[in-house]
Amino acid sequence: MDEPVRRPRPLKIVGIVVAVLAALVLAVVVGLNIYVRAAFAPFYAEAEPVFDIPGVNAGFVCQDLDHLAADGSWLFSGYMADGSPSPLYKRAADGTVARLTVANPDGAAYTGHGSAITSTDRYAYLACDGGYLVLDGEELAAAGDGQEVDAIARVDLDFSPAFMNIEGDTLLTGNFYYPGDYETPASHRITTPDGTENPAVIYAYDLDPNAPFGVAPGPACVYSIPGMIQGVCLTDSGRIVLSQSYGIATSHLLAYDQARLTQDGTFLADGAEVPLYCLDSRSLAADVEAPPMAEGIESFEGRVYVSDESASNKYIFGKLYGAGVVYALDMNG
């Protein structure tokens, strides 16, 4: 008498399939980590993970970060992938995280891109379409989780800021260029003395305690810059650092030596001719390649802090190699 054929039990088959899939996922994650760490070895050799970017698992797409001197906290601006009101996240010195919302001066919820956030002792400035919103620094520092912060004013600029940063007594704000998708005015596209085609600009405004909301009405000078710039900061050694990225391409942290800058004519900004300085190979001191989607940067205690959007739920792939954290590195040279 023949023995009955033994068929695999369904649960055993499911278990085998799950185990195989888990092994494949693990292999992909390990392989991606090895690749990213090798491809960007100079970055990881210098950069230290500092703290998590808040909201990356809750639909928040981080665009910028800022150290709020009033209480030692960190602010994160960005937008929600589902189009809901754009929050500000505040990370206290003890690591506690508060999620805030912002109201425009007309009372409507802020739903902007959140491309930039920066602050002085008195005010914070949040980028919006065509300019920036002014927030009260003390109110922002005191706001708790779930609270709404009211913008006290809106300031219009010549362009919509892609990034902003206050360095010393200067507000730096610039626009973003990518051909076809993000164009800039023809006057912003400049051929520099070394032949580089720079398609965007940074306006540098003096801080003025007697001016409305602490910023002079017109820029003191203009910098001509490369395309795809997401952030700007100054190092302790006087370098201008730009964060450059778009899509899944390699990011770059470009450091320019201010001591090597010379005036390259003038630029008509806000109706006035002001000195123009071109950032190109003549002053480029360092180019650090970094993982994709580096966003806003901030100079703090001698290091450049770098935010990233690739680990958000919108893009996901950055979660696979630990991109959901702020990295800090020394770019003083």
Side-chain angles (χ1 to χ4, degrees), residues 33-150:
N33 270 275
I34 293 173
Y35 168 76
V36 170
R37 299 286 166 165
F40 303 107
F43 173 81
Y44 286 111
E46 298 293 334
E48 174 193 2
V50 184
F51 43 72
D52 292 341
I53 298 172
V56 293
N57 296 316
F60 178 64
V61 186
C62 181
Q63 300 294 290
D64 196 18
L65 78 170
D66 174 68
H67 183 259
L68 188 63
D71 64 351
S73 63
W74 285 85
L75 299 175
F76 295 83
S77 63
Y79 64 95
M80 295 299 292
D82 63 4
S84 58
S86 305
L88 286 179
Y89 278 93
K90 184 173 65 170
R91 183 188 187 278
D94 65 359
T96 304
V97 174
R99 185 183 189 277
L100 314 175
T101 53
V102 176
N104 290 293
D106 64 3
Y110 172 75
T111 57
H113 195 68
S115 59
I117 182 74
T118 190
S119 61
T120 65
D121 292 339
R122 186 174 179 185
Y123 299 110
Y125 309 91
L126 174 64
C128 64
D129 187 30
Y132 59 83
L133 302 178
V134 182
L135 311 177
D136 182 276
E138 290 186 0
E139 180 184 357
L140 188 57
D145 187 41
Q147 291 187 347
E148 181 179 80
V149 179
D150 296 325

Side-chain angles (χ1 to χ4, degrees), residues 168-201:
D169 57 0
T170 304
L171 169 64
L172 302 170
T173 179
N175 54 1
F176 181 92
Y177 174 85
Y178 187 81
D181 294 329
Y182 298 95
E183 294 289 342
T184 53
S187 62
H188 292 193
R189 298 194 288 274
I190 295 170
T191 301
T192 75
D194 76 343
T196 299
E197 299 291 334
N198 274 356
V201 295

